[in-house]
PDB file of all heavy atoms in Angstrom:
ATOM      1  N   SER A 123       3.546  24.437 -14.483  1.00  0.00           N
ATOM      2  CA  SER A 123       3.381  25.412 -13.416  1.00  0.00           C
ATOM      3  C   SER A 123       3.082  24.657 -12.127  1.00  0.00           C
ATOM      4  O   SER A 123       2.150  23.849 -12.083  1.00  0.00           O
ATOM      5  CB  SER A 123       2.234  26.369 -13.742  1.00  0.00           C
ATOM      6  OG  SER A 123       2.031  27.269 -12.680  1.00  0.00           O
ATOM      7  N   THR A 124       3.863  24.923 -11.090  1.00  0.00           N
ATOM      8  CA  THR A 124       3.617  24.313  -9.794  1.00  0.00           C
ATOM      9  C   THR A 124       2.953  25.356  -8.907  1.00  0.00           C
ATOM     10  O   THR A 124       3.435  26.486  -8.791  1.00  0.00           O
ATOM     11  CB  THR A 124       4.925  23.810  -9.156  1.00  0.00           C
ATOM     12  OG1 THR A 124       5.495  22.830 -10.032  1.00  0.00           O
ATOM     13  CG2 THR A 124       4.670  23.187  -7.800  1.00  0.00           C
ATOM     14  N   GLU A 125       1.825  24.963  -8.314  1.00  0.00           N
ATOM     15  CA  GLU A 125       1.014  25.883  -7.529  1.00  0.00           C
ATOM     16  C   GLU A 125       0.652  25.240  -6.201  1.00  0.00           C
ATOM     17  O   GLU A 125       0.742  24.029  -6.034  1.00  0.00           O
ATOM     18  CB  GLU A 125      -0.295  26.199  -8.261  1.00  0.00           C
ATOM     19  CG  GLU A 125      -0.085  26.715  -9.654  1.00  0.00           C
ATOM     20  CD  GLU A 125      -1.325  26.611 -10.516  1.00  0.00           C
ATOM     21  OE1 GLU A 125      -2.106  25.655 -10.347  1.00  0.00           O
ATOM     22  OE2 GLU A 125      -1.488  27.492 -11.363  1.00  0.00           O
ATOM     23  N   ILE A 126       0.197  26.065  -5.285  1.00  0.00           N
ATOM     24  CA  ILE A 126      -0.378  25.580  -4.041  1.00  0.00           C
ATOM     25  C   ILE A 126      -1.885  25.603  -4.244  1.00  0.00           C
ATOM     26  O   ILE A 126      -2.472  26.645  -4.529  1.00  0.00           O
ATOM     27  CB  ILE A 126       0.038  26.459  -2.854  1.00  0.00           C
ATOM     28  CG1 ILE A 126       1.558  26.402  -2.716  1.00  0.00           C
ATOM     29  CG2 ILE A 126      -0.672  26.018  -1.584  1.00  0.00           C
ATOM     30  CD1 ILE A 126       2.132  27.474  -1.870  1.00  0.00           C
ATOM     31  N   LEU A 127      -2.498  24.436  -4.136  1.00  0.00           N
ATOM     32  CA  LEU A 127      -3.929  24.295  -4.348  1.00  0.00           C
ATOM     33  C   LEU A 127      -4.626  24.275  -2.991  1.00  0.00           C
ATOM     34  O   LEU A 127      -4.271  23.487  -2.110  1.00  0.00           O
ATOM     35  CB  LEU A 127      -4.222  23.003  -5.110  1.00  0.00           C
ATOM     36  CG  LEU A 127      -5.679  22.698  -5.407  1.00  0.00           C
ATOM     37  CD1 LEU A 127      -6.287  23.764  -6.312  1.00  0.00           C
ATOM     38  CD2 LEU A 127      -5.788  21.322  -6.058  1.00  0.00           C
ATOM     39  N   LEU A 128      -5.615  25.158  -2.826  1.00  0.00           N
ATOM     40  CA  LEU A 128      -6.417  25.174  -1.613  1.00  0.00           C
ATOM     41  C   LEU A 128      -7.645  24.323  -1.858  1.00  0.00           C
ATOM     42  O   LEU A 128      -8.488  24.652  -2.676  1.00  0.00           O
ATOM     43  CB  LEU A 128      -6.823  26.606  -1.253  1.00  0.00           C
ATOM     44  CG  LEU A 128      -5.653  27.551  -0.977  1.00  0.00           C
ATOM     45  CD1 LEU A 128      -6.156  28.960  -0.754  1.00  0.00           C
ATOM     46  CD2 LEU A 128      -4.852  27.072   0.213  1.00  0.00           C
ATOM     47  N   VAL A 129      -7.712  23.199  -1.179  1.00  0.00           N
ATOM     48  CA  VAL A 129      -8.802  22.228  -1.325  1.00  0.00           C
ATOM     49  C   VAL A 129      -9.576  22.181  -0.019  1.00  0.00           C
ATOM     50  O   VAL A 129      -9.134  22.743   0.982  1.00  0.00           O
ATOM     51  CB  VAL A 129      -8.244  20.831  -1.679  1.00  0.00           C
ATOM     52  CG1 VAL A 129      -7.565  20.842  -3.031  1.00  0.00           C
ATOM     53  CG2 VAL A 129      -7.281  20.343  -0.616  1.00  0.00           C
ATOM     54  N   PRO A 130     -10.735  21.514   0.005  1.00  0.00           N
ATOM     55  CA  PRO A 130     -11.431  21.361   1.283  1.00  0.00           C
ATOM     56  C   PRO A 130     -10.474  20.777   2.327  1.00  0.00           C
ATOM     57  O   PRO A 130      -9.740  19.832   2.053  1.00  0.00           O
ATOM     58  CB  PRO A 130     -12.567  20.393   0.951  1.00  0.00           C
ATOM     59  CG  PRO A 130     -12.846  20.664  -0.505  1.00  0.00           C
ATOM     60  CD  PRO A 130     -11.493  20.928  -1.109  1.00  0.00           C
ATOM     61  N   GLY A 131     -10.458  21.394   3.482  1.00  0.00           N
ATOM     62  CA  GLY A 131      -9.517  21.004   4.528  1.00  0.00           C
ATOM     63  C   GLY A 131      -8.315  21.920   4.574  1.00  0.00           C
ATOM     64  O   GLY A 131      -7.596  21.960   5.556  1.00  0.00           O
ATOM     65  N   GLY A 132      -8.066  22.670   3.490  1.00  0.00           N
ATOM     66  CA  GLY A 132      -6.999  23.661   3.473  1.00  0.00           C
ATOM     67  C   GLY A 132      -7.444  24.896   4.236  1.00  0.00           C
ATOM     68  O   GLY A 132      -8.580  24.996   4.699  1.00  0.00           O
ATOM     69  N   ARG A 133      -6.547  25.867   4.365  1.00  0.00           N
ATOM     70  CA  ARG A 133      -6.867  27.018   5.193  1.00  0.00           C
ATOM     71  C   ARG A 133      -6.184  28.281   4.700  1.00  0.00           C
ATOM     72  O   ARG A 133      -5.060  28.235   4.213  1.00  0.00           O
ATOM     73  CB  ARG A 133      -6.406  26.711   6.616  1.00  0.00           C
ATOM     74  CG  ARG A 133      -6.946  27.637   7.661  1.00  0.00           C
ATOM     75  CD  ARG A 133      -6.681  27.071   9.020  1.00  0.00           C
ATOM     76  NE  ARG A 133      -5.439  27.662   9.522  1.00  0.00           N
ATOM     77  CZ  ARG A 133      -4.832  27.275  10.628  1.00  0.00           C
ATOM     78  NH1 ARG A 133      -5.315  26.280  11.322  1.00  0.00           N
ATOM     79  NH2 ARG A 133      -3.739  27.856  11.019  1.00  0.00           N
ATOM     80  N   VAL A 134      -6.881  29.404   4.861  1.00  0.00           N
ATOM     81  CA  VAL A 134      -6.313  30.737   4.651  1.00  0.00           C
ATOM     82  C   VAL A 134      -6.646  31.541   5.897  1.00  0.00           C
ATOM     83  O   VAL A 134      -7.797  31.580   6.320  1.00  0.00           O
ATOM     84  CB  VAL A 134      -6.916  31.442   3.416  1.00  0.00           C
ATOM     85  CG1 VAL A 134      -6.437  32.871   3.327  1.00  0.00           C
ATOM     86  CG2 VAL A 134      -6.577  30.693   2.151  1.00  0.00           C
ATOM     87  N   GLN A 135      -5.631  32.171   6.474  1.00  0.00           N
ATOM     88  CA  GLN A 135      -5.860  32.999   7.653  1.00  0.00           C
ATOM     89  C   GLN A 135      -5.066  34.285   7.490  1.00  0.00           C
ATOM     90  O   GLN A 135      -3.859  34.251   7.221  1.00  0.00           O
ATOM     91  CB  GLN A 135      -5.417  32.262   8.913  1.00  0.00           C
ATOM     92  CG  GLN A 135      -5.655  33.042  10.178  1.00  0.00           C
ATOM     93  CD  GLN A 135      -5.267  32.241  11.417  1.00  0.00           C
ATOM     94  OE1 GLN A 135      -4.912  31.076  11.334  1.00  0.00           O
ATOM     95  NE2 GLN A 135      -5.330  32.883  12.567  1.00  0.00           N
TER      96      GLN A 135
END
Side-chain angles (χ1 to χ4, degrees):
S123 177
T124 300
E125 305 162 326
I126 298 164
L127 180 63
L128 299 175
V129 296
R133 194 168 95 188
V134 173
Q135 182 177 355

